[in-house]
Amino acid sequence: MKTTYLIPLATLLLATGGWAQDRIYRCGNEYTNTVSEAQAKNCKLMSGGNVTVVQGQRPARAAAASQPGQRVDAGDQRAKDSDARLILDSELKKAEARQAELLKEYNNGEPEKLGPEHRNNQKYLERIAELKAAISRNESDIAGIRRELGRVAGSTAK
């Protein structure tokens, strides 16, 4: 009875050996399973585990921009600068609106107490501290956006 299980098992093990990958050689960042190519390029034999190689292409714009000495067309650059300026203007308006909301809620350091803050003064003080920190962060964001707008405006003036 034991031999009836061993024969199919042995057959299965021998058959799956055909599915295994051949020898794989690494040639820098390239891989090959052709022995003659590997010897010609002085490739190293890879050991342990299977190798999966996914072929890919870089986008044409990225390839062209990465080549030294190539410049971006002046019209394209103006369009990019215009888009950047519009995005920065939009972000500045949002940040300024948020700042106005925060300052209104802060109420010169005396915001209105909310429900549980009437009984728990510590929660009120924590909320005041959070509002001050949010106002400070937002002021910093606004200053950064204005600096960036100055750079974009300065690059178009050249």
Side-chain angles (χ1 to χ4, degrees), residues 1 15 18 28-29 36 38 50 58 67 81 86 101 107 116 124 133:
M1 188 117 169
N29 288 333
S36 58
N50 294 333
R58 292 191 317 189
Q67 294 176 355
D81 289 346
L86 288 173
E101 291 172 14
N107 194 24
Y124 178 70

Side-chain angles (χ1 to χ4, degrees), residues 22-49 51:
D22 292 337
R23 292 182 171 195
I24 303 293
Y25 299 90
R26 182 176 181 173
C27 312
N29 288 333
E30 296 180 10
Y31 296 88
T32 184
N33 58 355
T34 308
V35 177
S36 58
E37 184 181 342
Q39 290 173 344
K41 294 182 176 181
N42 293 326
C43 301
K44 295 183 180 180
L45 178 64
M46 298 290 297
S47 62
V51 176

Side-chain angles (χ1 to χ4, degrees), residues 116-142:
E117 294 173 347
H118 289 287
R119 292 183 304 263
N120 188 345
N121 195 47
Q122 186 59 37
K123 280 189 177 185
Y124 178 70
L125 295 175
E126 288 173 2
R127 186 166 66 93
I128 291 174
E130 288 174 8
L131 280 171
K132 283 178 74 171
I135 289 169
S136 177
R137 277 192 309 270
N138 206 50
E139 284 175 352
S140 176
D141 291 348
I142 290 171

Side-chain angles (χ1 to χ4, degrees), residues 91-110:
E91 289 297 317
L92 181 61
K93 287 177 185 173
K94 287 179 192 175
E96 288 174 339
R98 174 78 176 133
Q99 188 72 0
E101 291 172 14
L102 287 170
L103 289 172
K104 183 179 177 185
E105 185 179 349
Y106 186 64
N107 194 24
N108 292 324
E110 296 179 7

Side-chain angles (χ1 to χ4, degrees), residues 49-117:
N50 294 333
V51 176
T52 302
V53 178
V54 178
Q55 296 279 333
Q57 293 180 335
R58 292 191 317 189
R61 281 193 148 181
S66 66
Q67 294 176 355
Q70 293 242 337
R71 295 202 170 247
V72 178
D73 181 42
D76 287 345
Q77 188 61 47
R78 270 189 241 109
K80 288 179 183 180
D81 289 346
S82 176
D83 290 346
R85 192 176 313 106
L86 288 173
I87 292 168
L88 287 169
D89 282 336
S90 170
E91 289 297 317
L92 181 61
K93 287 177 185 173
K94 287 179 192 175
E96 288 174 339
R98 174 78 176 133
Q99 188 72 0
E101 291 172 14
L102 287 170
L103 289 172
K104 183 179 177 185
E105 185 179 349
Y106 186 64
N107 194 24
N108 292 324
E110 296 179 7
E112 291 184 32
K113 288 188 177 186
L114 302 177
E117 294 173 347

